[in-house]
Amino acid sequence: MNLSTEEYKQYNRHLILDKIGEQGQLKLKKAKVLVIGAGGLGCPVLQYLSAAGVGNIGIIDDDVVDQSNLQRQILYTIDDIGLSKAKVAAKRLSALNPYIKFDVYQEKLTRENAIRLFKKYDIVVDGSDNFSTRYLANDAAVIANKPLVYGAIFKFEGQVSVFNYNNSATYRCLYPTPPQPDESPNCSEIGVLGVLPGIIGSFQANETIKIICGIGNVLSNKLLLYNTLTMQQVTLNYQKNTKIDIQKLEENYDVFCGIELDIEEITLTYLKSNVSDYNLLDVREDDERINYHIGGQHIPLSDLKSRLEEVNVDKSLVVYCKSGVRSTKAIRILKEYFPSLKLINLKGGCFVK
């Protein structure tokens, strides 16, 4: 495998860099990297890995572009709203670097596809935003024997680490048990500083390039913490827990992370055909409601506990959000206050994909 004349032009600043040079650039060209999620973290990861010349990049994401994404997911524009993130990302990145190959997976990462997909790539980068996917990605990476580059964000702070690198510690060594669902709100509920995922995602891309080229000190057995408000950066050491032996995937990662599965659900298609049988409650934020809704009451999840008396209870209540996660949390709250009310979750949320 050699670099073409155009690739020599494209990667000139790498080629004259002493720790990369032509051999390092060829390593990047040969590399295969799978990126989980094309959202806040995935966008900068994908942009910098594509610009760097990683030869084969897989993108797995079943989501579509929403207007609220544009504050931080800078791969997308207003014209992309409603379109597949994975497809739009691959198209835009191909325009940035036409010399690399993209594999697009418009699906969720699941226990059925994770190990099979991971085995196709050299490195997996986790840009997910929920604990179920993080534990699944960790376990599948261990079983497939692939390094996992981890990043996470919360309001103004982020963290980065590399798991399972040369038999190093894993996500379970750092976080043996998941938090309770109500203890881990996502950015749709609490917000996130727009530049934060750009910073953390860039750190993830940096770790990936270091692994591929064999340069620098990889963040294995180390957790980097970054605070955008104070500009403080701290690196903590942690150890591999040799008692943790991952031989197979969990039967259900939602159950493992404490997410209830006994909540009744209906699909949007069914709801539209039988809407007169139900009251609707939208628990998304104000900007999401303005952008798109399917009717009913609107009480954001963050306000629900203080506004329970406003909820319409004369019919069975269908609770909805964008994806079905916040509505599940809302149903837990509503169950305590209205134990006899029939509560139904809108499966997959209200966004038509």
Side-chain angles (χ1 to χ4, degrees):
M1 182 181 290
N2 297 308
L3 298 175
S4 67
T5 301
E6 292 304 311
E7 286 175 307
Y8 272 104
K9 296 177 184 178
Q10 186 94 357
Y11 308 129
N12 173 265
R13 299 304 189 270
H14 268 179
L15 294 170
I16 61 177
L17 197 60
D18 58 354
K19 289 189 180 297
I20 296 185
E22 185 170 350
Q23 291 306 310
Q25 196 60 52
L26 285 170
K27 289 179 181 179
L28 289 166
K29 183 173 181 176
K30 293 175 184 176
K32 299 178 180 181
V33 177
L34 176 66
V35 180
I36 304 169
L41 293 172
C43 281
V45 169
L46 288 164
Q47 285 169 295
Y48 276 110
L49 293 185
S50 298
V54 172
N56 186 186
I57 299 176
I59 309 171
I60 179 166
D61 196 317
D62 71 331
D63 200 6
V64 296
V65 179
D66 183 80
Q67 191 164 4
S68 65
N69 300 150
L70 304 182
Q71 164 253 14
R72 63 202 178 280
Q73 299 178 23
I74 58 175
L75 263 178
Y76 312 117
T77 70
I78 288 285
D79 293 336
D80 299 321
I81 292 173
L83 302 179
S84 161
K85 286 184 181 179
K87 288 185 68 175
V88 172
K91 181 178 180 180
R92 198 141 291 144
L93 294 166
S94 293
L96 168 68
N97 191 342
Y99 311 113
I100 59 180
K101 175 179 180 289
F102 293 97
D103 303 323
V104 175
Y105 306 99
Q106 296 179 73
E107 56 189 289
K108 289 182 67 173
L109 187 74
T110 65
R111 73 182 306 276
E112 286 73 32
N113 64 19
I115 296 174
R116 169 175 52 83
L117 288 175
F118 284 18
K119 287 182 176 180
K120 295 181 179 181
Y121 298 88
D122 306 315
I123 302 170
V124 180
V125 183
D126 183 8
S128 63
D129 62 357
N130 63 86
F131 288 95
S132 297
T133 304
R134 288 171 188 158
Y135 280 98
L136 167 61
N138 176 79
D139 295 355
V142 172
I143 294 170
N145 194 27
K146 306 293 180 179
L148 179 68
V149 181
Y150 158 78
I153 54 176
F154 182 81
K155 297 174 74 172
F156 301 98
E157 301 176 2
Q159 53 185 240
V160 184
S161 190
V162 176
F163 303 126
N164 201 49
Y165 176 68
N166 293 336
N167 200 36
S168 70
T170 74
Y171 185 69
R172 286 182 183 263
C173 300
L174 191 59
Y175 300 111
T177 58
Q180 292 298 310
D182 294 337
E183 296 174 350
S184 54
N186 60 36
C187 65
S188 298
E189 300 169 53
I190 59 170
V192 63
L193 183 68
V195 299
L196 174 62
I199 295 168
I200 300 302
S202 296
F203 282 157
Q204 289 180 275
N206 184 56
E207 291 304 302
T208 305
I209 291 170
K210 284 159 58 180
I211 293 170
I212 294 169
C213 294
I215 59 176
N217 298 314
V218 175
L219 278 172
S220 60
N221 295 345
K222 298 179 184 296
L223 180 68
L224 184 149
L225 306 175
Y226 186 85
N227 186 313
T228 58
L229 297 183
T230 63
M231 299 303 288
Q232 287 184 315
Q233 180 174 309
V234 178
T235 302
L236 306 176
N237 295 318
Y238 61 96
Q239 298 297 319
K240 180 179 177 68
N241 185 342
T242 56
K243 294 181 180 179
I244 296 175
D245 185 22
I246 301 168
Q247 296 290 337
K248 62 180 182 178
L249 300 180
E250 301 281 349
E251 287 297 321
N252 191 301
Y253 281 86
D254 286 340
V255 171
F256 175 73
C257 292
I259 299 173
E260 294 180 42
L261 297 181
D262 60 349
I263 294 174
E264 183 177 344
E265 293 187 319
I266 59 173
T267 64
L268 182 58
T269 301
Y270 180 85
L271 176 63
K272 286 181 175 180
S273 300
N274 301 273
V275 68
S276 61
D277 297 336
Y278 305 101
N279 287 323
L280 305 182
L281 177 62
D282 180 358
V283 295
R284 300 173 302 156
E285 296 301 311
D286 293 338
D287 60 324
E288 296 175 277
R289 175 76 175 190
I290 292 170
N291 185 48
Y292 174 78
H293 67 87
I294 57 173
Q297 276 186 293
H298 175 229
I299 304 177
L301 178 61
S302 54
D303 298 335
L304 186 58
K305 288 185 179 179
S306 63
R307 297 175 59 185
L308 286 167
E309 293 183 358
E310 299 177 31
V311 177
N312 294 328
V313 296
D314 57 312
K315 295 180 184 178
S316 298
L317 182 66
V318 175
V319 187
Y320 71 91
C321 63
K322 178 185 174 182
S323 66
V325 175
R326 280 173 286 169
S327 52
T328 300
K329 293 181 180 180
I331 288 175
R332 290 196 195 98
I333 296 170
L334 292 163
K335 273 185 175 181
E336 293 185 13
Y337 198 79
F338 304 107
S340 61
L341 178 62
K342 186 173 183 180
L343 297 162
I344 304 166
N345 190 44
L346 184 62
K347 185 176 182 179
C350 69
F351 203 97
V352 181
K353 299 180 179 181

